[in-house]
Each structure stands twice: as structure tokens, then as C-alpha cells.
């Protein structure tokens, strides 16, 4: 997940999400629903990036042996730091270079995979040097870092750090010593590290696509350090055959549920959250909300009572697997079954958001200023509620004398071209539709999977 992590259910170990921690709406680590991901401030260079027509889907990708040399950066009580070519691992206990070499294999392999797939991505850490990962000896310590109870690993959009407990990377303890004695949850690592490698692009794509891409990589056949990209479709079919089987996860036996294809129309509107759909029909900011009419109740000004707002029913964990599965279906289709079968539309889509991200570099300063204004606004409200005659009625409502004026909410900055930062994720989806309606696309998808003997 984005901001969230992989869910410990429905397939052999866990499913992921971009992070429900920190960012809220995304399961990557976010914040309140609708909060934009952190603005991009530095970008990967375009050096060596090929045009779409020259980016080909490799048949296989091997793990990068030269990238897994482990450097010991620090080993001290309470903190040890190890570094491979592209990752820095921080943990409160000593692990040793041998164990860390095995742990980092999935990380470096995913880096290699994302850099070689025809999406045209050059994975780029925030500091231009290495990506950050934190390993926690116990699940309790992992959860204390802010990870969701149901997650097996999480990538945080807010601080660009991947977090995972020892149990998911096969590390066990014998007294005060730790050794590699269990299986490594490659699914979770691949899913979450895919998010980490694509950080620059995440805000410019809908959440369903971000999750679908991560599910795609996590389900590629993988054996002895080799991703069988040519076997992606067969890997998808095997995943479907595994639905309903009993899986062993630690000491818990879980029955994998059977997610269903929601249809294009059923997944397409999960733009800013995997929890609730949001249909985007215009890229411009929504008009300011109409202020609640006020009335003098004999003591002061209070909002006129209103009917409870219409809301989507609260989601349950049981509903989410079908959304991840449906997102996965769409990505498999765009990668292997759409049009000429060479992922042409998806490559052109990535070209569009590759250029889009450049337009938003300077937006970071405006967003930072807005966040400071929001912090001041919240502080001003707290001070306002303490003024004589102001009564806090709870649930965001106050009564105040008519001679007082409450703080004004700061305006959210618009993005380049007046685009709402919360809506840019839907800006280039027309490339994937290619002139088709969602209903037309749904018919094509169903026909394509039926043709390869995997009807939805």
C-alpha cells in the first residue's frame, strides 16, 4: 500500500496498499482523505531515458549481484546502519553483513525490476544517494512507528521510508543474536518498494493505478533471483488458482478470500483513496463550500442545524481485496493485452506524467507556505475559542458574540494551470482510455481475458 502496507490476508501472506498511515487516503502513509502527497522538490535526471517506442518489455530481469555488497556504516547499541548500493537499512540491533545481504536481495531486485520495466522510471531517492528502510525486531515496535495493525510492511509517503518487522524478512532471534531463519515475504517487499521507487510519480496517478502496478510487480513469477516478466500472465492465472486455499502465516492459518472483478466503472473512480471513490469531472478546484448560515439564538451566533451529509458507507476490510484485484487486472491488461500487446498506451501515459511532474517542482514552496498557514489557522481557532463569550459546542461548532469574527481558513494553493492538486491524478487517464468509454474498455478487458482462458 501507499502509506499503508500490505494487508495480511487474501493471498499468500499479505496484500499491500500505498499507505494508510500518515497520508490517510492512500494506503502509502498519508493523512486526511484528500490530503495531497508531499510535493516533489527534486527530480530524477532524464539521462538515458528512451522514448516510448524504444522501451521494450524484457522477458526476464535478474537480481543485481553487484548491488548487494553490504557496507557496515554503524554498529552500536541501539542503532546499526547497513548500506547496499541503493538502500540504507537502519535497525536497533546488530545483524551482520551476511544476514543483511540476504535481506537486501528483494530490495535491490525490485529496484532493478522497476528501472528495467518499460515505464521509463529512473528510481531516485530524495537525497540523490540511497533509499531508506527501517527494520524492527518486534511487531510491537513496528506498530509503534505508526504502521497499521493489519499491515506486514509499509512505505510512508510523508518521510519516504519503508518499514517492516523482522518476521517479514525472515530474521529470528536466539537470545541476543539474530539470524536468517525464516522465509522472506517477497510479495510485501516488492509491492512496497515498488511504491518507493515510483515516489515521484505517485501524486500524478490515481490510487487504483499505483496499487495495481505494485500488485503487478509483486505477482511476477520470481525464482532464484530472476523475475520472469514474460510469465506475468501465467503468474496472474496462478494467483487466481490460489484463491480459496488455506495459507499458513506464522502461527495463523488463513483462508484466502476470492476477490471479484469490479469492472472498469467499479474501480476507475478510486482516484485519491482506495477506501472511497471520488469521481473527478473537472481538474479545476471545487468552488468554496457555501458557509453554513448563522442565526442568533439569543446568546450568540450559531450555525443553523443541517441534515447529516450524505456519505459513502464505511468500508470493511473484506471489500478491499476486490479493489486491489481489480486494479491488478487493469494493469495486466494494459501491460500485455491492450492494443498491440506492447503496453503502448501505458508507456505513453507514463511519458505524460513524467513531464507533468516537472511542472510541479515549484509547487512545493506554495504547499509549504499553505501548511504553515493552516497551522496558524488552527492555532488561531484555539485562541478564538478561549475568548470571552465564545462557547465550544463540540463537533467543530462554536457559539460566539456577534461582535467577534472567527479566523478565516487559508485558501489552498492551485497547481500549475489552475489544476487542483487533489485532482491532477486524473489528468492523463484519457491516454489509457484511448477514446474508449469505461463501458467499452470493460467489454474489451473481459473479452481479452476470456481469450487467454482466464475469464473474469
Amino acid at each position: 500500500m501507499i502509506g499503508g502496507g500490505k494487508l495480511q490476508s487474501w493471498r499468500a501472506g499479505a496484500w499491500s496498499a500505498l499507505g494508510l498511515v500518515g497520508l490517510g487516503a492512500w494506503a502509502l502513509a498519508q493523512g486526511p482523505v484528500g490530503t495531497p502527497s508531499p510535493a516533489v522538490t527534486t527530480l530524477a535526471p532524464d539521462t538515458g531515458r528512451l522514448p516510448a517506442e524504444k522501451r521494450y518489455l524484457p522477458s526476464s530481469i535478474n537480481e543485481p549481484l553487484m548491488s548487494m555488497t553490504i557496507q557496515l556504516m554503524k554498529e552500536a547499541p541501539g542503532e546499526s546502519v547497513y548500506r547496499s548500493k541503493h538502500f540504507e537499512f537502519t535497525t536497533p540491533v546488530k545483524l551482520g553483513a551476511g544476514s543483511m545481504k540476504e535481506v537486501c536481495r528483494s530490495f535491490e531486485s525490485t529496484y532493478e525490476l522497476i528501472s528495467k520495466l518499460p515505464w521509463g522510471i529512473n528510481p531516485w531517492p530524495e537525497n540523490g544517494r540511497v533509499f531508506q528502510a527501517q527494520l524492527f525486531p518486534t511487531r510491537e515496535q513496528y506498530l509503534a512507528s505508526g504502521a497499521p495493525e493489519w499491515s506486514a510492511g509499509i512505505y510512508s509517503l510523508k518521510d519516504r521510508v519503508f518499514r517492516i518487522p523482522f518476521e517479514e524478512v525472515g530474521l529470528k532471534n536466539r537470545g541476543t543474536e539474530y539470524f536468517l531463519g525464516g522465509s522472506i515475504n517477497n510479495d510485501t517487499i516488492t509491492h512496497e518498494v515498488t511504491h518507493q521507487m515510483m515516489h515521484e510519480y505517485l501524486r500524478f496517478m490515481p490510487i487504483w493505478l499505483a496499487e495495481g502496478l505494485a500488485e503487478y510487480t509483486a505477482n511476477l513469477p520470481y525464482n532464484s533471483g530472476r523475475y520472469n516478466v514474460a510469465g506475468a500472465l501465467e503468474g496472474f492465472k496462478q494467483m487466481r488458482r490460489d484463491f480459496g486455499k488455506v495459507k499458513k502465516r506464522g502461527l495463523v492459518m488463513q483462508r484466502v478470500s476470492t476477490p471479484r472483478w469490479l469492472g472498469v466503472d467499479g474501480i476507475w473512480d478510486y482516484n485519491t483513496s482506495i477506501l472511497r471513490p471520488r469521481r473527478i469531472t473537472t481538474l479545476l478546484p471545487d468552488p468554496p463550500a457555501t458557509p453554513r448560515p448563522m442565526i442568533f439564538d439569543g446568546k450568540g451566533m450559531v450555525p443553523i442545524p443541517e441534515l447529516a451529509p450524505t456519505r459513502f458507507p464505511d468500508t470493511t476490510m473484506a471489500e478491499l481485496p476486490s479493489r486491489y484485484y481489480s486494479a491488478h487486472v487493469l494493469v495486466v491488461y494494459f501491460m500485455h493485452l491492450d492494443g498491440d500487446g506492447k503496453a503502448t498506451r501505458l508507456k505513453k501515459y507514463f511519458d505524460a506524467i513524467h513531464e507533468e511532474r516537472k511542472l510541479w517542482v515549484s509547487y512545493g514552496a506554495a504547499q509549504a507556505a499553505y501548511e504553515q498557514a493552516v497551522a496558524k489557522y488552527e492555532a488561531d481557532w484555539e485562541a478564538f475559542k478561549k475568548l470571552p463569550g465564545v462557547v465550544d459546542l463540540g463537533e467543530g461548532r462554536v457559539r460566539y458574540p456577534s461582535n467577534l469574527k472567527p479566523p478565516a481558513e487559508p485558501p489552498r494553493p492551485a497547481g500549475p494551470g489552475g489544476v487542483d492538486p487533489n485532482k491532477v491524478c486524473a489528468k492523463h487517464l484519457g491516454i489509457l482510455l484511448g477514446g474508449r468509454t469505461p463501458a467499452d474498455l470493460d467489454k474489451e478487458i473481459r473479452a481479452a481475458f476470456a481469450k487467454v482462458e482466464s475469464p473474469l
Side-chain angles (χ1 to χ4, degrees):
M1 293 176 93
I2 298 172
K6 271 206 156 184
L7 195 69
Q8 295 191 102
S9 61
W10 91 265
R11 65 184 172 77
W15 62 247
S16 321
L18 272 161
L20 287 170
V21 177
L23 279 174
W26 291 61
L28 262 162
Q30 301 175 62
V33 172
T35 298
S37 57
V40 175
T41 55
T42 58
L43 297 178
D46 280 348
T47 306
R49 192 173 193 276
L50 297 173
E53 63 272 13
K54 292 186 178 181
R55 299 199 305 269
Y56 301 105
L57 189 68
S59 60
S60 64
I61 297 174
N62 295 320
E63 67 182 22
L65 297 178
M66 298 302 292
S67 298
M68 294 188 294
T69 300
I70 299 298
Q71 292 179 277
L72 172 60
M73 308 303 294
K74 178 182 180 181
E75 270 192 343
E79 184 180 44
S80 293
V81 182
Y82 306 91
R83 186 177 291 180
S84 61
K85 183 175 181 179
H86 299 108
F87 293 86
E88 185 171 89
F89 303 89
T90 303
T91 179
V93 299
K94 296 181 181 180
L95 295 176
S99 294
M100 282 308 308
K101 182 176 181 179
E102 292 303 314
V103 169
C104 90
R105 173 169 278 118
S106 293
F107 289 81
E108 289 289 354
S109 293
T110 304
Y111 175 97
E112 191 77 3
L113 174 65
I114 300 304
S115 64
K116 295 293 177 61
L117 286 173
W119 304 337
I121 293 176
N122 176 15
W124 193 253
E126 185 177 23
N127 58 14
R129 298 191 304 273
V130 291
F131 294 96
Q132 298 295 318
Q134 294 177 350
L135 311 178
F136 297 89
T138 68
R139 184 160 185 82
E140 290 70 27
Q141 290 171 304
Y142 166 71
L143 295 176
S145 73
E149 175 66 35
W150 43 263
S151 66
I154 180 175
Y155 171 59
S156 168
L157 279 175
K158 184 176 181 180
D159 55 20
R160 299 192 180 197
V161 175
F162 173 56
R163 298 182 174 93
I164 195 167
F166 278 11
E167 63 185 3
E168 301 297 338
V169 294
L171 288 169
K172 297 185 176 182
N173 70 306
R174 184 187 294 117
T176 59
E177 301 291 326
Y178 288 86
F179 64 100
L180 198 67
S183 60
I184 296 178
N185 188 342
N186 190 69
D187 288 350
T188 290
I189 294 173
T190 300
H191 182 116
E192 298 301 327
V193 175
T194 294
H195 291 321
Q196 192 173 25
M197 300 300 98
M198 297 174 62
H199 182 99
E200 286 187 6
Y201 297 81
L202 293 176
R203 74 171 303 149
F204 306 111
M205 64 175 66
I207 189 67
W208 68 258
L209 181 56
E211 295 298 351
L213 292 166
E215 283 295 278
Y216 173 83
T217 58
N219 281 281
L220 287 174
Y222 179 81
N223 185 42
S224 301
R226 176 176 174 268
Y227 282 103
N228 179 12
V229 183
L233 191 56
E234 183 53 42
F236 175 82
K237 293 179 181 179
Q238 183 60 52
M239 177 197 70
R240 297 189 69 190
R241 288 193 288 268
D242 288 341
F243 290 160
K245 293 183 180 180
V246 173
K247 301 290 181 180
K248 185 174 183 180
R249 183 94 184 135
L251 300 177
V252 181
M253 299 297 287
Q254 297 178 333
R255 181 168 297 280
V256 180
S257 60
T258 303
R260 61 189 178 86
W261 166 238
L262 300 175
V264 173
D265 193 58
I267 189 64
W268 201 261
D269 288 340
Y270 285 91
N271 286 293
T272 56
S273 171
I274 201 65
L275 300 178
R276 295 184 180 187
R278 180 189 182 188
R279 180 154 297 183
I280 295 176
T281 58
T282 173
L283 296 176
L284 298 177
D286 294 328
T290 302
R292 291 272 301 278
M294 308 292 287
I295 188 172
F296 186 74
D297 69 351
K299 297 180 180 179
M301 304 299 292
V302 296
I304 293 177
E306 62 179 12
L307 297 175
T310 302
R311 56 179 296 185
F312 293 107
D314 290 336
T315 187
T316 64
M317 300 306 286
E319 295 173 316
L320 293 179
S322 292
R323 296 174 194 167
Y324 280 83
Y325 169 69
S326 298
H328 186 190
V329 166
L330 276 166
V331 171
V332 171
Y333 174 78
F334 286 126
M335 283 291 291
H336 301 280
L337 304 175
D338 185 30
D340 57 10
K342 299 179 180 179
T344 297
R345 286 192 178 97
L346 187 58
K347 288 188 287 186
K348 290 182 177 179
Y349 173 83
F350 266 101
D351 285 345
I353 63 172
H354 180 83
E355 295 303 315
E356 182 70 36
R357 83 201 208 293
K358 298 176 184 178
L359 303 176
W360 290 74
V361 173
S362 61
Y363 176 77
Q367 176 68 10
Y370 170 71
E371 291 173 357
Q372 291 178 355
V374 168
K376 183 179 183 302
Y377 168 71
E378 293 173 346
D380 289 346
W381 255 111
E382 291 304 312
F384 179 80
K385 290 190 291 185
K386 296 177 182 177
L387 293 176
V390 178
V391 180
D392 187 350
L393 302 176
E395 298 181 354
R397 301 170 66 240
V398 297
R399 176 189 292 126
Y400 57 91
S402 58
N403 63 315
L404 293 181
K405 185 177 181 180
E409 182 177 351
R412 183 184 296 274
V419 174
D420 186 332
N422 290 319
K423 297 180 178 180
V424 68
C425 59
K427 182 176 179 180
H428 299 287
L429 286 177
I431 296 173
L432 295 179
L433 285 174
R436 299 167 289 191
T437 66
D440 292 336
L441 178 60
D442 188 80
K443 291 178 181 178
E444 291 187 16
I445 290 174
R446 292 177 186 272
F449 278 94
K451 187 175 181 179
V452 296
E453 300 179 348
S454 186
L456 301 174

